[in-house]
Amino acid sequence: MPFYPAPDRDVQPVPVPGVVRCRCCPGGISRSARARRYPSDMTRAEWAVCEPLLPAPAWLAGRGGRPASWCMRDIVDAIRYLTHNGPVWRALPADFPPTGTVYWRAGKWQAGGCTERMHDDLRERIRLAAGRKAAPTAAIIDSQSVKGSEMIARPRRGYDAGKKINGTKRHLSVDTPGLLLTVLVTAASVQDRDAARPLLRNLRRAFPTVKLAWADGGYAGKLVTWARTRLRLRLEIVKRPDDLHTFKVLPRGWVVERTLARITGHRRTVRDYERLPAHHENDRQHRSTSAGRAPVRDHHSHTGLGSRSPGR
């Protein structure tokens, strides 16, 4: 299934059949010669939407330099292949650009905010196509502990006694359709209420229109008062009935649970394989789009306690 399906009411012009426009290539026509053989490869319609969101090359703006050796479409396809199939960086197939080139481009685009801008644009397109406003007004938050690979350093690793998991914990906020708004990666030992403060702070900073958030009983207590007084955000707790002994879908909570299930339904995101928390957060963005959903908007902090993604 495509990662970034173009909505039926997309305003982007339909590309000419057989012609792939690309600013990074001389003449404006993509030089990519590799066959599109993987499920993660972009279609022409997807590339027509994503290509304008990538940074323009310096030589095209008259700032010097020369055209890159590889078409950006191949770079994006390689990144998507990695997040979709979950291999290590050095195991990228030979028909993609060199691993070092792909890794360098991915880091540069992430640091420059390119990934964030692309996710914002795609999220807004999907929300508008669904008849919603581009900016969310409500969110749901939750967390998920995942095992960490041997690449995870000790400062990032922790033990979640409740889930009996040694690794990291990802904290998410999603909008009412389940599209990611903010992502926060911490050690698994960090309590949900402690991580919720930077998560909600980043949520309000990234999406000032969000005035309401839902959370489960694990977030009850002083956090509700703190969110109301410090962030002017109404945090409603959806509690599980005390006399409930069977499975029951809780209001609002099932939305973020569905998003977590979709994220963990792919090899790259079943565990935390990345040495840097920002890279793990970025993986969440790519995986949130795998089921035809809009991606994540996120900010990363050097402590691993700051990041954001997409909203109501």
Side-chain angles (χ1 to χ4, degrees):
M1 179 176 292
F3 279 10
Y4 305 121
D8 295 336
R9 291 180 285 175
D10 202 313
V11 297
Q12 287 286 343
V14 178
V16 179
V19 176
V20 180
R21 299 292 178 181
C22 185
R23 290 172 298 163
C24 71
C25 300
I29 306 299
S30 176
R31 298 163 294 166
S32 176
R34 58 175 297 272
R36 263 60 200 177
R37 58 172 60 90
Y38 307 118
S40 56
D41 288 337
M42 285 181 295
T43 63
R44 290 191 179 92
E46 291 173 326
W47 179 241
V49 173
C50 295
E51 194 276 337
L53 302 175
L54 295 174
W59 65 269
L60 190 63
R63 299 198 303 269
R66 58 180 177 82
S69 301
W70 298 90
C71 177
M72 293 301 101
R73 187 181 183 186
D74 290 344
I75 301 290
V76 176
D77 279 343
I79 297 172
R80 286 159 53 103
Y81 178 91
L82 182 83
T83 57
H84 181 264
N85 296 289
V88 296
W89 281 95
R90 293 182 178 88
L92 282 173
D95 59 331
F96 286 123
T99 298
T101 301
V102 177
Y103 185 87
W104 179 80
R105 281 288 181 185
K108 184 176 181 180
W109 287 343
Q110 180 181 349
C114 175
T115 304
E116 178 184 337
R117 290 191 298 270
M118 182 178 294
H119 286 162
D120 288 348
D121 181 85
L122 295 173
R123 185 196 67 251
E124 292 173 1
R125 287 171 182 269
I126 293 180
R127 288 181 59 86
L128 291 173
R132 298 176 178 270
K133 295 182 179 179
T137 59
I140 309 104
I141 65 174
D142 203 352
S143 66
Q144 180 186 50
S145 297
V146 293
K147 294 181 179 179
S149 69
E150 66 278 1
M151 298 294 294
I152 308 302
R154 181 175 295 180
R156 281 195 55 213
R157 183 185 295 272
Y159 183 72
D160 185 342
K163 302 294 179 63
K164 295 180 173 56
I165 291 179
N166 188 337
T168 61
K169 182 182 290 188
R170 45 201 183 210
H171 310 264
L172 307 182
S173 66
V174 302
D175 62 0
T176 50
L179 308 181
L180 278 168
L181 296 176
T182 57
V183 181
L184 176 67
V185 177
T186 68
S189 56
V190 176
Q191 295 296 319
D192 290 351
R193 285 188 293 268
D194 296 334
R197 295 198 177 194
L199 181 73
L200 293 175
R201 190 181 297 113
N202 291 336
L203 174 67
R204 287 288 285 145
R205 186 184 303 116
F207 303 95
T209 55
V210 173
K211 305 295 183 182
L212 171 65
W214 290 280
D216 60 29
Y219 295 89
K222 297 181 180 179
L223 181 65
V224 177
T225 303
W226 178 86
R228 184 179 64 252
T229 57
R230 298 292 298 273
L231 302 179
R232 296 184 180 180
L233 176 69
R234 183 158 60 96
L235 182 63
E236 292 188 0
I237 304 299
V238 181
K239 293 185 177 181
R240 178 185 177 91
D242 296 333
D243 57 347
L244 184 63
H245 301 289
T246 59
F247 174 78
K248 182 180 179 180
V249 177
L250 298 180
R252 302 296 179 181
W254 68 269
V255 177
V256 66
E257 294 289 352
R258 181 183 60 184
T259 301
L260 289 169
R262 284 172 172 165
I263 290 175
T264 55
H266 299 83
R267 295 177 181 177
R268 187 75 178 182
T269 50
V270 171
R271 302 178 67 185
D272 185 356
Y273 293 100
E274 298 289 352
R275 185 181 300 275
L276 300 178
H279 287 180
H280 185 63
E281 291 163 356
N282 200 43
D283 283 341
R284 306 290 76 67
Q285 296 184 4
H286 290 290
R287 294 317 323 137
S288 68
T289 64
S290 63
R293 315 298 297 181
V296 185
R297 178 184 188 180
D298 80 340
H299 283 303
H300 313 293
S301 74
H302 295 292
T303 61
L305 289 177
S307 154
R308 82 186 189 198
S309 359
R312 181 178 177 174

